[in-house]
Amino acid sequence: MKLQNIFLNLSCIVSCVTLCCAAVEKTEKEVSTSPRFEINSNDASLTFNGRIKDELFLYNRVNTLRSDNYDANDFIRHKLNIDIALQHGKKLYRAPATQGFVRLTNYLYWQHNDKYMPFITDQSDALRANFNLAQHTTHVRNLMPLIFAEQAWFKLNFERFTDLLYDRPTSLKVGFFPYTLGRGIALGYHDGVAVESLGWSGEGDFTRYPYMPPAILFNIQLAKNLTADFYFSKWREVDATQDQTTEPVRHNRLSDENPERGTGKDRNVWSLKADYTINPSRLETWHLQPYWLYVDAPEQSIEVAADASAKLHTLGMMVNVINDNVTVNVECAGQFGHQDVHAIDRNVIEDGNFTHVFLGSNDSRVRAPAGNTIKKNTSINYAKTENQLAHIVNIAQNRTLSQQGQALVKASGNLLKVNPFSGSSDSGSNDIQTYNANIFNNKRFRSGYKLDYQGVMALVDVGYDLLHHPIRLGAAAGYISGDEYPYNHEVDGTYHGFIPLRSRYKGEAVKSILIFDRLIIPRPMNISYKELYAFNNLKNLSDLQYLGLGLTWYPLEKRKTLSLTNDFMFFWKAAQIKKWDKNGTSSDPLANQSDQLPFDQQQLHFTGWESSENAHRFLGAELDIKVLYQFLDHCKFLTKVSLFFPGQLYKDLDGQPNVATRRIDALGNIHYDSLGNQPAFGFICGLDYSF
């Protein structure tokens, strides 16, 4: 991006900014003890707070690490929060007996008012009479910026009106509110971020929006320094209406089940957490937080809707120690459970043809037509519902694992032949046998198998304030386990990667902008044999090792007025993957046939395959410079500059097609290029105003 354009945008943000709000969540203490406006009536009080923040973003090469595909973005993001807090009973009970909180939010990109809250109806599925699935999605553009409720919750403090709990504060909180376990990696509340390649899909492209899932939180104080939480969240609701329970989302499954979803398919979250605080000495404080998390996900999507389900447990412990001018934070967690990958039929109708039924042989690239009528004849008594080719393709005889690569048969058991020129099944010299696909990356049927989860995470951060200098030092190290793409071989196995849920983590003593906070630098996995491109760990922090050092200088006597921070971090992949050989071929014998995988490679315009040599794990280094200037108590200016220098891993994967590089050329051909290895740049500046 030209230098003059950068300065032009900078002057625009300074002169035209409408001062919008930060995405910093306030605690209940902040809401109740520091109101800007307050109204009291009888034994109730109503307080109002708010924040406005506008920020300019400049990105270059952050999505692909390439400069030859228009990978440069600039935009201005605006956020407004209006916080309304209500409490009752403070005069009568000496503390609030009930509390309520609502956060109204306006969140958008300038001239993209629907960026975070678009008017989009859910995709609806309909099972046609010919036993093939049709999908419909409706999009409606909103005409003005939206104001929506980001948080809305009610809290009941039982100990204020129940003598039995007088010395054990107990509360029940219900509604939409933020909740995390540990640092928020094992469980957070940003529903847009997820390990999408494993079926834990996020909500659309809203990777930066803090979605607050509806939940119930029960808290009780068990001892003087010990509290316990029980948390339940309705992560995904699909049982609310009969339209949802009868939706044919299981149409592709190879089982005796009906295609309808049925009941009891909500995704639910349960957790238990304890917080124990001790003070061994006047200058030392220990905070221990053990937790257990269980997630039941009956519907996940790897290839098609509801083709997998999972049960995931996470056991963890976070310890935070403050000793005079030193802070140490350690968190460790392990995961176990499993994912059932169900047997499915991949065949659908696309552009008037079957995707996985071929003419002439089981590996032909001539797909069988889907709309041709099968004419009746005197020797076979067809039912009225069986006079469509689509129905015969999907009858039980042709829709089993034993029919992988086999010739299709009619309901009578006779072989099915079609005439692609006349569209009839009458015998003749042009009749061609039809076959189910059975090739390397395009088999019609996927057998069922199970993946056992075995992930681990270990993080440590240390912060140190120099006694005689206005400087704070930080150090960080972390290991979040990863694994290779688990769906290539379609057999029972173990997945060793740690799965962060709804997590957007910024760091503790050392913070990262591009990889942690913005989740924007792609971290490639090995190639998917079916898709013929590599997915990325992008909306998650799985499969990552890091080391970091940080330094913050407070040049003024009043520390919060001005701070300058430098953070430097090194990143590695935790999982081992193979180098890319531009002249290589797959070890699968079917994949090396000239009319199979190379044909797909030509379609996607790439060459080669994974080699037998391991790729280097070094992802790269990130340098962040941050300046915060609070020139008024209620207004501050912030600037962030971030540079990412790609490591040897990206060079070792040169040529590997990647999902982030998809483009269409002038002839309409789809290309999946490899990620580049050029430095990426990010710049953010803005004004933050609170009231």
Side-chain angles (χ1 to χ4, degrees):
M1 184 174 291
K2 295 182 180 179
L3 188 61
Q4 58 265 36
N5 289 338
I6 295 177
F7 283 112
L8 180 61
N9 284 321
L10 283 173
S11 62
C12 174
I13 188 64
V14 172
S15 60
C16 301
V17 84
T18 59
L19 305 173
C20 197
C21 152
V24 177
E25 293 77 22
K26 298 178 184 177
T27 64
E28 293 177 42
K29 182 178 179 181
E30 289 174 328
V31 171
S32 60
T33 61
S34 59
R36 298 292 179 179
F37 306 99
E38 184 172 358
I39 300 174
N40 293 289
S41 177
N42 295 326
D43 202 6
S45 65
L46 184 66
T47 60
F48 297 88
N49 293 315
R51 299 184 71 165
I52 303 175
K53 187 177 185 180
D54 277 81
E55 292 176 295
L56 167 69
F57 290 77
L58 301 176
Y59 287 145
N60 194 18
R61 297 189 291 266
V62 298
N63 298 290
T64 63
L65 305 176
R66 301 173 65 109
S67 57
D68 58 353
N69 60 350
Y70 306 102
D71 187 0
N73 312 101
D74 62 274
F75 58 91
I76 298 176
R77 190 183 68 180
H78 165 90
K79 188 173 184 181
L80 161 70
N81 285 144
I82 298 176
D83 294 343
I84 305 170
L86 178 66
Q87 60 183 23
H88 287 84
K90 189 173 183 179
K91 291 182 180 179
L92 181 60
Y93 301 106
R94 298 187 302 277
T98 58
Q99 295 171 277
F101 179 75
V102 175
R103 169 168 288 177
L104 300 178
T105 299
N106 171 223
Y107 201 16
L108 51 85
Y109 286 5
W110 284 16
Q111 293 298 347
H112 285 275
N113 298 335
D114 59 349
K115 172 62 179 176
Y116 292 104
M117 291 296 293
F119 277 31
I120 299 179
T121 62
D122 287 340
Q123 179 173 282
S124 59
D125 297 329
L127 194 61
R128 293 173 173 170
N130 61 6
F131 284 80
N132 282 271
L133 211 60
Q135 297 179 336
H136 307 277
T137 303
T138 303
H139 297 259
V140 181
R141 178 177 177 138
N142 57 310
L143 300 179
M144 61 182 295
L146 289 177
I147 300 292
F148 57 94
E150 181 179 321
Q151 293 188 48
W153 50 262
F154 165 76
K155 184 178 180 182
L156 185 62
N157 300 309
F158 294 100
E159 76 280 0
R160 295 302 163 190
F161 53 87
T162 304
D163 293 338
L164 294 176
L165 298 172
Y166 180 76
D167 58 348
R168 295 187 183 276
T170 304
S171 65
L172 179 68
K173 190 175 182 180
V174 181
F176 295 78
F177 54 89
Y179 188 78
T180 63
L181 297 177
R183 304 187 190 194
I185 295 180
L187 179 68
Y189 49 84
H190 287 67
D191 205 22
V193 290
V195 189
E196 293 191 324
S197 59
L198 300 184
W200 297 91
S201 58
E203 295 291 333
D205 189 33
F206 317 139
T207 57
R208 315 296 180 262
Y209 174 64
Y211 171 78
M212 307 297 171
I216 299 173
L217 174 62
F218 179 78
N219 175 270
I220 183 170
Q221 183 172 320
L222 300 175
K224 181 180 179 181
N225 298 322
L226 176 63
T227 63
D229 286 353
F230 171 76
Y231 176 81
F232 168 78
S233 173
K234 181 68 69 174
W235 188 345
R236 186 167 185 263
E237 170 62 79
V238 291
D239 287 348
T241 66
Q242 189 176 14
D243 288 342
Q244 291 179 324
T245 58
T246 58
E247 188 177 358
V249 296
R250 300 188 170 204
H251 173 69
N252 292 87
R253 287 197 190 180
L254 290 178
S255 66
D256 296 330
E257 298 180 61
N258 293 323
E260 292 85 3
R261 169 181 286 122
T263 58
K265 303 304 184 297
D266 294 344
R267 181 180 298 181
N268 295 320
V269 177
W270 291 267
S271 78
L272 288 174
K273 180 178 75 172
D275 288 280
Y276 180 54
T277 303
I278 55 176
N279 301 94
S281 68
R282 185 175 61 86
L283 298 177
E284 184 177 350
T285 301
W286 286 67
H287 175 214
L288 287 72
Q289 185 186 99
Y291 58 82
W292 165 77
L293 169 71
Y294 171 63
V295 181
D296 182 16
E299 287 187 5
Q300 295 181 303
S301 298
I302 299 171
E303 296 184 38
V304 296
D307 66 341
S309 57
K311 298 181 185 296
L312 177 64
H313 297 262
T314 305
L315 288 174
M317 166 73 83
M318 184 181 73
V319 179
N320 194 63
V321 183
I322 301 175
N323 187 355
D324 197 8
N325 58 330
V326 179
T327 301
V328 179
N329 184 282
V330 178
E331 182 176 0
C332 298
Q335 289 184 329
F336 61 96
H338 67 273
Q339 181 184 59
D340 291 313
V341 183
H342 305 296
I344 61 169
D345 179 1
R346 296 184 173 105
N347 186 58
V348 295
I349 294 175
E350 185 179 277
D351 299 326
N353 296 287
F354 293 117
T355 56
H356 290 75
V357 175
F358 296 145
L359 296 175
S361 70
N362 65 2
D363 58 14
S364 171
R365 290 294 167 179
V366 180
R367 297 187 298 172
N372 296 349
T373 301
I374 304 298
K375 296 181 180 179
K376 294 182 181 181
N377 58 45
T378 56
S379 61
I380 301 176
N381 182 20
Y382 285 103
K384 291 183 179 181
T385 58
E386 291 187 14
N387 56 4
Q388 289 291 325
L389 178 58
H391 179 80
I392 295 180
V393 168
N394 289 295
I395 60 178
Q397 292 95 318
N398 295 316
R399 207 165 180 257
T400 63
L401 291 172
S402 62
Q403 279 296 100
Q404 190 85 275
Q406 301 300 307
L408 270 68
V409 296
K410 303 175 185 178
S412 63
N414 296 328
L415 294 180
L416 173 66
K417 294 183 178 181
V418 299
N419 187 325
F421 307 103
S422 68
S424 73
S425 64
D426 298 333
S427 60
S429 59
N430 292 323
D431 289 353
I432 300 176
Q433 181 64 62
T434 54
Y435 289 85
N436 288 318
N438 186 32
I439 59 177
F440 168 69
N441 67 326
N442 208 31
K443 297 178 181 180
R444 176 174 179 181
F445 305 112
R446 183 186 75 191
S447 57
Y449 56 98
K450 184 172 79 169
L451 295 176
D452 291 321
Y453 290 137
Q454 290 183 13
V456 295
M457 173 182 71
L459 313 172
V460 58
D461 282 73
V462 179
Y464 177 69
D465 288 297
L466 298 182
L467 293 177
H468 304 293
H469 301 280
I471 293 176
R472 181 172 177 82
L473 303 177
Y479 176 84
I480 307 172
S481 66
D483 207 339
E484 64 179 14
Y485 184 71
Y487 307 115
N488 283 336
H489 304 293
E490 299 181 359
V491 294
D492 292 348
T494 301
Y495 181 74
H496 296 281
F498 190 89
I499 302 173
L501 298 176
R502 308 194 308 220
S503 170
R504 178 170 167 247
Y505 174 66
K506 300 181 181 181
E508 288 285 332
V510 184
K511 302 180 187 295
S512 159
I513 295 175
L514 294 180
I515 287 189
F516 279 5
D517 183 19
R518 306 314 306 157
L519 295 170
I520 201 169
I521 298 294
R523 294 177 283 118
M525 305 171 69
N526 55 306
I527 192 170
S528 164
Y529 293 173
K530 178 183 180 298
E531 302 295 345
L532 290 182
Y533 53 70
F535 291 100
N536 298 297
N537 285 303
L538 186 62
K539 295 183 180 182
N540 63 82
L541 295 181
S542 182
D543 190 13
L544 190 63
Q545 304 175 78
Y546 63 86
L547 291 173
L549 295 173
L551 182 150
T552 300
W553 176 42
Y554 306 95
L556 302 180
E557 183 177 355
K558 192 176 181 180
R559 283 197 168 196
K560 74 173 186 178
T561 301
L562 179 63
S563 64
L564 294 88
T565 301
N566 289 275
D567 290 323
F568 194 41
M569 301 192 74
F570 299 90
F571 298 95
W572 295 263
K573 276 180 64 70
Q576 186 70 69
I577 60 175
K578 301 297 183 181
K579 280 186 177 180
W580 189 261
D581 181 357
K582 292 183 179 180
N583 299 313
T585 57
S586 170
S587 59
D588 190 302
L590 283 176
N592 291 322
Q593 295 181 16
S594 60
D595 59 347
Q596 308 218 10
L597 185 61
F599 185 89
D600 282 341
Q601 287 176 312
Q602 293 170 14
Q603 275 190 328
L604 299 180
H605 301 88
F606 75 90
T607 61
W609 199 252
E610 296 173 336
S611 71
S612 59
E613 187 178 354
N614 290 334
H616 203 286
R617 296 187 184 186
F618 183 50
L619 283 161
E622 180 179 335
L623 172 64
D624 297 328
I625 302 172
K626 308 162 194 173
V627 179
L628 174 63
Y629 176 45
Q630 187 158 346
F631 50 90
L632 296 171
D633 287 341
H634 55 278
C635 193
K636 59 188 176 183
F637 175 79
L638 54 93
T639 299
K640 303 176 184 178
V641 177
S642 184
L643 293 170
F644 179 75
F645 304 94
Q648 184 63 39
L649 172 71
Y650 294 95
K651 297 178 182 179
D652 288 349
L653 296 181
D654 183 35
Q656 180 197 62
N658 189 279
V659 65
T661 64
R662 185 181 187 274
R663 62 183 177 87
I664 301 177
D665 64 20
L667 300 177
N669 299 315
I670 298 176
H671 295 250
Y672 284 95
D673 300 321
S674 67
L675 295 173
N677 52 49
Q678 295 178 296
F681 169 78
F683 174 81
I684 306 169
C685 74
L687 285 169
D688 189 342
Y689 173 68
S690 61
F691 58 88

